[in-house]
Amino acid sequence: MSSSTVYVETYGCQMNVSDSELILGKLADAGYSQVDSPDGADVILVNTCAIRDHAEQRVLGRLGELKRHMKPGAVVGVAGCMAQRLGPRLFDRAKHVSLVIGPDGYRALPDLIERARDGERATAVDFDLEEHYQGFSARRFEGVKAWIPVQRGCDYRCTYCIVPTTRGPERSRPLLDAVREVEQVAEQGITEVVLLGQTVNSYNDGSHDFADLLRAVGRVDGIRRVRFTSPHPNDFSERVIAAMAETPEVCEHVHLPMQSGSSRVLKRMLRRYTREQYFECADRLRAAIPGLGLTTDIIVGFPGESDEDFAETLSAVREIGFNDAYTFKFSAREGTAATRFPSADDVPDNVASERLARLIATMRAGARRANMAALGQRHEVLVEKEARRGGLLQARTRDFKTVIIPGEPSLIGSYVTVELTGTTGSTFTGTVTSERVELPLAG
Ligand code: 5AD
Ligand code: SF4
């Protein structure tokens, strides 16, 4: 057993956060202890994202900085999507890196680290279609909720997206295995789980679909809230929507990536739905689940996006009334189909920036209106952590509103009822009307 130390830094999505938890679990089992600073660590791992060029540039900058924190003989490794995308090319970009390991390679991590320590430049970038990291015990970063990966990879081929290249084909983890992990976290006192997958509602382990999974996870003793991210609009079958509606633990919130409000752009993105079909999906979800919060992802400046196309995105945002959105400027990713559109289709950067600013303003105005209308409502919240401003706590409603409330840190992890008393436009302030809802919920 080693008594070495490891420092892990994570970029990108929740799947990466979850992967870092698995990495740390694996290394803890191999005798490593986790440290909070790269200074003096024996192993420094950066778990990376490749979704936009900006994400990669940040990592390259950070790798440069980390050089200054390396002690002699330390191993610096790059994990995750950028490692998968660039493979050994990363060694040329950052000479002090001696380990490159893609999202399916973490089982071999202790051995690879040993090899890197022996002076080798170690790489693991093969996909493993059986890999669900069974037998790993995740080291969780968050105290009150747990990320549960249930599906890895993606079988869609959205033309802008690098994920199918970096995370490989879609595969679903066996239901029993996922449920067992939920039971374990529930035994540790965690009451909220977030099921993770690239198109999580297409989950199918050969015998069970996502509807079965939602119902099974909802039944686990002690679990009070079930969330999932991110679904694809085309995979909301009637069975899945019924399971959401009929499972009391499944929260009234869906993050439903729209990407564009123009059918013409959606077609070029190969999203496989039209504007109308997306609206229909949102309507079906709202009809089945009263009080549903809807958030989304939107890309502006996709090749060929005209002023009219963009106007359709703005009108979709207004008409649907999202509670929040992650908004992005299109970033061309090497190897994706979107790079093969004629260069005449490129949207100039200043146009894309201007569209992004207008989209954000439209989004904020809509959210502010909806949030003002919610003042006075009472909600059950889970107290998640201390707020950035001193002496306050950050809590979350079932429909994914952030509420800042007064209270002692000892309330973290418990459920209280709050009244929404103010809003900054995006988040709320609230007062506690009843403390410590009894746990667990019946059922
Ligand atoms: N450029 C910009 N945004 C992208 N996304 C994915 N690929 C790209 C890209 N090449 C966005 C999508 C996706 C979110 C996770 O990132 O909106 O839903
Ligand atoms: Fe990328 Fe599309 Fe798969 Fe989402 S569904 S990971 S956007 S290819």
Side-chain angles (χ1 to χ4, degrees):
M1 290 289 262
S2 137
S3 57
S4 305
T5 55
V6 57
Y7 168 76
V8 177
E9 207 165 277
T10 309
Y11 293 84
C13 63
Q14 276 154 2
M15 190 62 89
N16 258 16
V17 174
S18 165
D19 279 356
S20 287
E21 293 180 339
L22 290 169
I23 287 173
L24 280 165
K26 179 75 186 169
L27 291 179
D29 286 348
Y32 285 83
S33 46
Q34 182 190 348
V35 289
D36 295 338
S37 154
D39 293 299
D42 296 301
V43 179
I44 298 174
L45 292 177
V46 184
N47 194 2
T48 60
C49 171
I51 200 118
R52 282 168 290 274
D53 184 56
H54 176 74
E56 293 200 353
Q57 295 308 325
R58 254 182 85 199
V59 165
L60 288 172
R62 181 62 181 148
L63 282 172
E65 263 171 44
L66 283 170
K67 198 160 29 177
R68 292 204 301 274
H69 297 271
M70 278 173 78
K71 73 172 187 189
V75 167
V76 176
V78 179
C81 287
M82 192 177 162
Q84 186 71 35
R85 192 179 87 73
L86 292 171
R89 281 186 284 169
L90 259 170
F91 296 133
D92 306 325
R93 301 272 188 100
K95 301 257 183 272
H96 55 299
V97 168
S98 56
L99 179 60
V100 170
I101 183 159
D104 283 353
Y106 304 141
R107 198 169 284 279
L109 199 46
D111 294 339
L112 290 165
I113 290 174
E114 284 313 314
R115 280 166 46 193
R117 282 186 151 170
D118 291 342
E120 205 182 309
R121 290 196 135 175
T123 334
V125 288
D126 290 335
F127 290 128
D128 179 348
L129 296 190
E130 301 300 316
E131 186 56 276
H132 286 289
Y133 295 118
Q134 268 121 322
F136 279 48
S137 40
R139 279 286 164 114
R140 300 191 188 275
F141 305 140
E142 280 246 18
V144 304
K145 65 177 135 189
W147 317 118
I148 310 289
V150 299
Q151 178 198 55
R152 301 183 71 85
C154 181
D155 277 348
Y156 282 87
R157 286 289 177 275
C158 303
T159 53
Y160 51 82
C161 189
I162 193 75
V163 167
T165 315
T166 60
R167 286 189 169 269
E170 174 183 327
R171 65 222 102 127
S172 292
R173 177 178 179 188
L175 178 135
L176 280 179
D177 190 44
V179 169
R180 205 172 304 127
E181 185 174 4
V182 174
E183 287 166 353
Q184 281 163 4
V185 301
E187 276 160 25
Q188 292 158 16
I190 284 178
T191 59
E192 175 173 321
V193 289
V194 188
L195 310 178
L196 296 180
Q198 235 59 56
T199 56
V200 69
N201 53 339
S202 70
Y203 172 93
N204 194 316
D205 74 351
S207 317
H208 310 94
D209 67 359
F210 193 59
D212 297 322
L213 182 67
L214 285 177
R215 292 184 195 273
V217 169
R219 275 196 297 271
V220 171
D221 266 354
I223 292 301
R224 193 179 174 94
R225 287 185 171 186
V226 178
R227 302 184 186 277
F228 53 88
T229 198
S230 287
H232 190 287
N234 290 12
D235 294 307
F236 273 116
S237 62
E238 287 308 318
R239 270 177 63 79
V240 167
I241 295 182
M244 292 169 64
E246 292 164 16
T247 308
E249 293 78 9
V250 173
C251 288
E252 295 77 24
H253 168 236
V254 174
H255 181 72
L256 189 66
M258 178 173 80
Q259 311 301 2
S260 168
S262 152
S263 294
R264 206 181 66 91
V265 173
L266 288 168
K267 186 159 192 187
R268 288 162 66 97
M269 287 177 163
L270 202 62
R271 284 295 287 177
R272 307 172 203 228
Y273 52 82
T274 61
R275 172 190 175 96
E276 291 70 31
Q277 286 165 333
Y278 182 88
F279 275 56
E280 243 171 64
C281 178
D283 287 346
R284 283 196 301 137
L285 287 163
R286 281 179 161 160
I289 304 152
L292 184 77
L294 262 189
T295 55
T296 196
D297 290 343
I298 299 172
I299 298 174
V300 300
F302 186 78
E305 183 187 66
S306 65
D307 287 338
E308 292 74 34
D309 292 320
F310 177 63
E312 292 209 54
T313 294
L314 289 186
S315 73
V317 165
R318 283 195 207 98
E319 285 172 39
I320 290 180
F322 294 109
N323 299 86
D324 204 355
Y326 294 105
T327 51
F328 310 103
K329 251 197 298 188
F330 169 72
S331 167
R333 310 308 293 130
E334 185 192 342
T336 59
T339 59
R340 296 195 286 274
F341 288 119
S343 57
D345 285 352
D346 288 356
V347 175
D349 190 58
N350 61 327
V351 175
S353 297
E354 193 250 347
R355 287 182 187 165
L356 186 66
R358 284 173 60 200
L359 174 61
I360 291 171
T362 303
M363 199 39 249
R364 285 204 181 135
R368 170 179 285 276
R369 252 194 318 277
N371 288 349
M372 294 296 285
L375 293 183
Q377 287 179 3
R378 287 187 177 205
H379 283 267
E380 179 191 278
V381 293
L382 169 58
V383 183
E384 292 186 333
K385 54 185 166 193
E386 291 188 57
R388 273 195 295 261
R389 269 192 302 144
L392 297 169
L393 301 172
Q394 180 180 313
R396 205 170 283 282
T397 63
R398 289 174 58 94
D399 65 356
F400 215 60
K401 294 176 167 61
T402 304
V403 190
I404 306 297
I405 56 172
E408 295 299 316
S410 61
L411 274 182
I412 292 170
S414 57
Y415 289 83
V416 299
T417 304
V418 300
E419 182 174 323
L420 305 179
T421 52
T423 176
T424 59
S426 61
T427 62
F428 290 87
T429 50
T431 51
V432 177
T433 59
S434 91
E435 291 208 3
R436 287 190 198 284
V437 177
E438 282 312 307
L439 285 176
L441 257 190

mmCIF file of all heavy atoms in Angstrom, residues 157-161 268-269 302-304 330-343 345-346:
data_model
loop_
_atom_site.group_PDB
_atom_site.id
_atom_site.type_symbol
_atom_site.label_atom_id
_atom_site.label_comp_id
_atom_site.label_asym_id
_atom_site.label_seq_id
_atom_site.Cartn_x
_atom_site.Cartn_y
_atom_site.Cartn_z
ATOM 1 N N ARG A 157 -25.849 11.985 -32.203
ATOM 2 C CA ARG A 157 -24.711 12.545 -32.940
ATOM 3 C C ARG A 157 -25.006 14.003 -33.255
ATOM 4 O O ARG A 157 -24.946 14.407 -34.417
ATOM 5 C CB ARG A 157 -24.477 11.763 -34.245
ATOM 6 C CG ARG A 157 -23.858 10.386 -34.040
ATOM 7 C CD ARG A 157 -22.385 10.476 -33.616
ATOM 8 N NE ARG A 157 -21.809 9.167 -33.349
ATOM 9 C CZ ARG A 157 -21.907 8.534 -32.180
ATOM 10 N NH1 ARG A 157 -22.566 9.075 -31.177
ATOM 11 N NH2 ARG A 157 -21.349 7.357 -32.012
ATOM 12 N N CYS A 158 -25.362 14.777 -32.239
ATOM 13 C CA CYS A 158 -25.613 16.199 -32.468
ATOM 14 C C CYS A 158 -24.354 16.761 -33.117
ATOM 15 O O CYS A 158 -23.233 16.468 -32.676
ATOM 16 C CB CYS A 158 -25.938 16.895 -31.156
ATOM 17 S SG CYS A 158 -27.354 16.125 -30.321
ATOM 18 N N THR A 159 -24.536 17.550 -34.169
ATOM 19 C CA THR A 159 -23.392 17.852 -35.032
ATOM 20 C C THR A 159 -22.345 18.754 -34.377
ATOM 21 O O THR A 159 -21.226 18.842 -34.860
ATOM 22 C CB THR A 159 -23.854 18.483 -36.363
ATOM 23 O OG1 THR A 159 -24.695 19.599 -36.054
ATOM 24 C CG2 THR A 159 -24.635 17.481 -37.193
ATOM 25 N N TYR A 160 -22.728 19.445 -33.292
ATOM 26 C CA TYR A 160 -21.777 20.338 -32.616
ATOM 27 C C TYR A 160 -20.986 19.621 -31.527
ATOM 28 O O TYR A 160 -20.026 20.177 -30.996
ATOM 29 C CB TYR A 160 -22.535 21.524 -31.968
ATOM 30 C CG TYR A 160 -23.694 21.068 -31.110
ATOM 31 C CD1 TYR A 160 -23.488 20.634 -29.808
ATOM 32 C CD2 TYR A 160 -24.981 21.026 -31.623
ATOM 33 C CE1 TYR A 160 -24.541 20.162 -29.041
ATOM 34 C CE2 TYR A 160 -26.042 20.576 -30.854
ATOM 35 C CZ TYR A 160 -25.816 20.146 -29.564
ATOM 36 O OH TYR A 160 -26.849 19.671 -28.822
ATOM 37 N N CYS A 161 -21.378 18.397 -31.187
ATOM 38 C CA CYS A 161 -20.987 17.859 -29.876
ATOM 39 C C CYS A 161 -19.822 16.870 -29.927
ATOM 40 O O CYS A 161 -19.825 15.920 -30.710
ATOM 41 C CB CYS A 161 -22.192 17.187 -29.231
ATOM 42 S SG CYS A 161 -21.861 16.722 -27.525
ATOM 43 N N ARG A 268 -30.071 21.091 -38.625
ATOM 44 C CA ARG A 268 -28.626 21.098 -38.894
ATOM 45 C C ARG A 268 -27.815 20.638 -37.690
ATOM 46 O O ARG A 268 -26.681 20.181 -37.824
ATOM 47 C CB ARG A 268 -28.183 22.493 -39.357
ATOM 48 C CG ARG A 268 -28.672 22.813 -40.783
ATOM 49 C CD ARG A 268 -28.623 24.298 -41.047
ATOM 50 N NE ARG A 268 -27.271 24.819 -41.060
ATOM 51 C CZ ARG A 268 -26.536 25.017 -42.165
ATOM 52 N NH1 ARG A 268 -27.026 24.702 -43.349
ATOM 53 N NH2 ARG A 268 -25.324 25.516 -42.084
ATOM 54 N N MET A 269 -28.402 20.804 -36.521
ATOM 55 C CA MET A 269 -27.743 20.301 -35.307
ATOM 56 C C MET A 269 -27.948 18.793 -35.141
ATOM 57 O O MET A 269 -27.359 18.189 -34.259
ATOM 58 C CB MET A 269 -28.322 20.988 -34.060
ATOM 59 C CG MET A 269 -27.912 22.430 -33.867
ATOM 60 S SD MET A 269 -28.758 23.089 -32.408
ATOM 61 C CE MET A 269 -27.751 24.547 -32.079
ATOM 62 N N PHE A 302 -24.655 29.022 -34.020
ATOM 63 C CA PHE A 302 -24.406 27.767 -34.731
ATOM 64 C C PHE A 302 -24.280 28.095 -36.227
ATOM 65 O O PHE A 302 -24.976 28.978 -36.723
ATOM 66 C CB PHE A 302 -25.558 26.791 -34.477
ATOM 67 C CG PHE A 302 -25.329 25.428 -35.058
ATOM 68 C CD1 PHE A 302 -24.494 24.529 -34.426
ATOM 69 C CD2 PHE A 302 -25.922 25.063 -36.263
ATOM 70 C CE1 PHE A 302 -24.252 23.290 -34.975
ATOM 71 C CE2 PHE A 302 -25.685 23.818 -36.828
ATOM 72 C CZ PHE A 302 -24.850 22.929 -36.171
ATOM 73 N N PRO A 303 -23.407 27.374 -36.969
ATOM 74 C CA PRO A 303 -23.205 27.695 -38.384
ATOM 75 C C PRO A 303 -24.532 27.792 -39.145
ATOM 76 O O PRO A 303 -25.358 26.883 -39.057
ATOM 77 C CB PRO A 303 -22.365 26.518 -38.899
ATOM 78 C CG PRO A 303 -21.623 26.043 -37.693
ATOM 79 C CD PRO A 303 -22.529 26.281 -36.515
ATOM 80 N N GLY A 304 -24.702 28.894 -39.853
ATOM 81 C CA GLY A 304 -25.913 29.077 -40.649
ATOM 82 C C GLY A 304 -27.057 29.723 -39.890
ATOM 83 O O GLY A 304 -28.107 29.980 -40.479
ATOM 84 N N PHE A 330 -21.590 29.014 -29.828
ATOM 85 C CA PHE A 330 -21.093 27.824 -30.519
ATOM 86 C C PHE A 330 -19.565 27.834 -30.564
ATOM 87 O O PHE A 330 -18.938 28.855 -30.826
ATOM 88 C CB PHE A 330 -21.648 27.790 -31.951
ATOM 89 C CG PHE A 330 -20.990 26.748 -32.807
ATOM 90 C CD1 PHE A 330 -21.256 25.405 -32.597
ATOM 91 C CD2 PHE A 330 -20.082 27.105 -33.804
ATOM 92 C CE1 PHE A 330 -20.629 24.429 -33.368
ATOM 93 C CE2 PHE A 330 -19.449 26.143 -34.579
ATOM 94 C CZ PHE A 330 -19.731 24.800 -34.359
ATOM 95 N N SER A 331 -18.993 26.672 -30.293
ATOM 96 C CA SER A 331 -17.539 26.508 -30.367
ATOM 97 C C SER A 331 -17.276 25.308 -31.286
ATOM 98 O O SER A 331 -17.793 24.211 -31.038
ATOM 99 C CB SER A 331 -17.008 26.258 -28.950
ATOM 100 O OG SER A 331 -15.681 25.815 -28.976
ATOM 101 N N ALA A 332 -16.528 25.536 -32.362
ATOM 102 C CA ALA A 332 -16.284 24.454 -33.318
ATOM 103 C C ALA A 332 -15.337 23.437 -32.699
ATOM 104 O O ALA A 332 -14.264 23.800 -32.218
ATOM 105 C CB ALA A 332 -15.683 25.023 -34.598
ATOM 106 N N ARG A 333 -15.731 22.175 -32.684
ATOM 107 C CA ARG A 333 -14.893 21.120 -32.120
ATOM 108 C C ARG A 333 -14.381 20.240 -33.249
ATOM 109 O O ARG A 333 -15.188 19.659 -33.997
ATOM 110 C CB ARG A 333 -15.679 20.270 -31.098
ATOM 111 C CG ARG A 333 -16.428 21.043 -30.051
ATOM 112 C CD ARG A 333 -15.601 22.079 -29.284
ATOM 113 N NE ARG A 333 -14.582 21.507 -28.428
ATOM 114 C CZ ARG A 333 -13.305 21.907 -28.441
ATOM 115 N NH1 ARG A 333 -12.887 22.833 -29.266
ATOM 116 N NH2 ARG A 333 -12.447 21.369 -27.602
ATOM 117 N N GLU A 334 -13.077 20.132 -33.304
ATOM 118 C CA GLU A 334 -12.412 19.315 -34.322
ATOM 119 C C GLU A 334 -13.029 17.913 -34.384
ATOM 120 O O GLU A 334 -13.241 17.288 -33.342
ATOM 121 C CB GLU A 334 -10.937 19.212 -33.891
ATOM 122 C CG GLU A 334 -10.032 18.520 -34.847
ATOM 123 C CD GLU A 334 -8.678 18.225 -34.173
ATOM 124 O OE1 GLU A 334 -8.351 18.845 -33.133
ATOM 125 O OE2 GLU A 334 -7.975 17.353 -34.694
ATOM 126 N N GLY A 335 -13.349 17.474 -35.595
ATOM 127 C CA GLY A 335 -13.873 16.116 -35.744
ATOM 128 C C GLY A 335 -15.388 16.031 -35.692
ATOM 129 O O GLY A 335 -15.960 14.993 -36.029
ATOM 130 N N THR A 336 -16.070 17.089 -35.269
ATOM 131 C CA THR A 336 -17.534 17.032 -35.243
ATOM 132 C C THR A 336 -18.076 17.453 -36.612
ATOM 133 O O THR A 336 -17.424 18.189 -37.360
ATOM 134 C CB THR A 336 -18.125 17.964 -34.163
ATOM 135 O OG1 THR A 336 -17.707 19.311 -34.435
ATOM 136 C CG2 THR A 336 -17.676 17.564 -32.771
ATOM 137 N N ALA A 337 -19.302 17.009 -36.911
ATOM 138 C CA ALA A 337 -19.888 17.260 -38.233
ATOM 139 C C ALA A 337 -20.083 18.751 -38.494
ATOM 140 O O ALA A 337 -20.026 19.191 -39.647
ATOM 141 C CB ALA A 337 -21.218 16.511 -38.350
ATOM 142 N N ALA A 338 -20.313 19.530 -37.450
ATOM 143 C CA ALA A 338 -20.567 20.961 -37.651
ATOM 144 C C ALA A 338 -19.368 21.683 -38.255
ATOM 145 O O ALA A 338 -19.527 22.761 -38.834
ATOM 146 C CB ALA A 338 -20.963 21.618 -36.325
ATOM 147 N N THR A 339 -18.192 21.095 -38.145
ATOM 148 C CA THR A 339 -17.009 21.751 -38.722
ATOM 149 C C THR A 339 -17.001 21.586 -40.249
ATOM 150 O O THR A 339 -16.191 22.208 -40.924
ATOM 151 C CB THR A 339 -15.691 21.168 -38.165
ATOM 152 O OG1 THR A 339 -15.671 19.761 -38.465
ATOM 153 C CG2 THR A 339 -15.580 21.365 -36.662
ATOM 154 N N ARG A 340 -17.889 20.737 -40.769
ATOM 155 C CA ARG A 340 -17.883 20.490 -42.215
ATOM 156 C C ARG A 340 -18.894 21.343 -42.981
ATOM 157 O O ARG A 340 -19.013 21.216 -44.189
ATOM 158 C CB ARG A 340 -18.093 18.994 -42.484
ATOM 159 C CG ARG A 340 -16.928 18.145 -41.936
ATOM 160 C CD ARG A 340 -16.902 16.735 -42.481
ATOM 161 N NE ARG A 340 -17.952 15.892 -41.911
ATOM 162 C CZ ARG A 340 -17.819 15.217 -40.772
ATOM 163 N NH1 ARG A 340 -16.699 15.298 -40.065
ATOM 164 N NH2 ARG A 340 -18.800 14.469 -40.327
ATOM 165 N N PHE A 341 -19.628 22.216 -42.283
ATOM 166 C CA PHE A 341 -20.469 23.164 -43.010
ATOM 167 C C PHE A 341 -19.559 24.145 -43.745
ATOM 168 O O PHE A 341 -18.449 24.427 -43.268
ATOM 169 C CB PHE A 341 -21.376 23.936 -42.040
ATOM 170 C CG PHE A 341 -22.492 23.102 -41.451
ATOM 171 C CD1 PHE A 341 -22.594 22.900 -40.076
ATOM 172 C CD2 PHE A 341 -23.450 22.524 -42.271
ATOM 173 C CE1 PHE A 341 -23.614 22.133 -39.538
ATOM 174 C CE2 PHE A 341 -24.481 21.747 -41.738
ATOM 175 C CZ PHE A 341 -24.553 21.556 -40.367
ATOM 176 N N PRO A 342 -20.022 24.709 -44.882
ATOM 177 C CA PRO A 342 -19.165 25.664 -45.597
ATOM 178 C C PRO A 342 -18.824 26.858 -44.717
ATOM 179 O O PRO A 342 -19.646 27.278 -43.896
ATOM 180 C CB PRO A 342 -20.024 26.104 -46.799
ATOM 181 C CG PRO A 342 -21.389 25.548 -46.574
ATOM 182 C CD PRO A 342 -21.303 24.466 -45.554
ATOM 183 N N SER A 343 -17.618 27.400 -44.908
ATOM 184 C CA SER A 343 -17.197 28.477 -43.995
ATOM 185 C C SER A 343 -18.075 29.718 -44.171
ATOM 186 O O SER A 343 -18.160 30.561 -43.281
ATOM 187 C CB SER A 343 -15.720 28.802 -44.185
ATOM 188 O OG SER A 343 -15.499 29.143 -45.528
ATOM 189 N N ASP A 345 -21.043 29.745 -43.849
ATOM 190 C CA ASP A 345 -22.090 29.633 -42.818
ATOM 191 C C ASP A 345 -21.632 30.142 -41.454
ATOM 192 O O ASP A 345 -22.449 30.283 -40.535
ATOM 193 C CB ASP A 345 -22.514 28.165 -42.647
ATOM 194 C CG ASP A 345 -23.381 27.679 -43.797
ATOM 195 O OD1 ASP A 345 -23.773 28.518 -44.635
ATOM 196 O OD2 ASP A 345 -23.658 26.463 -43.849
ATOM 197 N N ASP A 346 -20.343 30.346 -41.274
ATOM 198 C CA ASP A 346 -19.850 30.765 -39.959
ATOM 199 C C ASP A 346 -20.530 32.050 -39.515
ATOM 200 O O ASP A 346 -20.684 32.983 -40.302
ATOM 201 C CB ASP A 346 -18.331 31.027 -40.006
ATOM 202 C CG ASP A 346 -17.544 29.739 -40.113
ATOM 203 O OD1 ASP A 346 -18.179 28.655 -40.073
ATOM 204 O OD2 ASP A 346 -16.309 29.811 -40.251
#
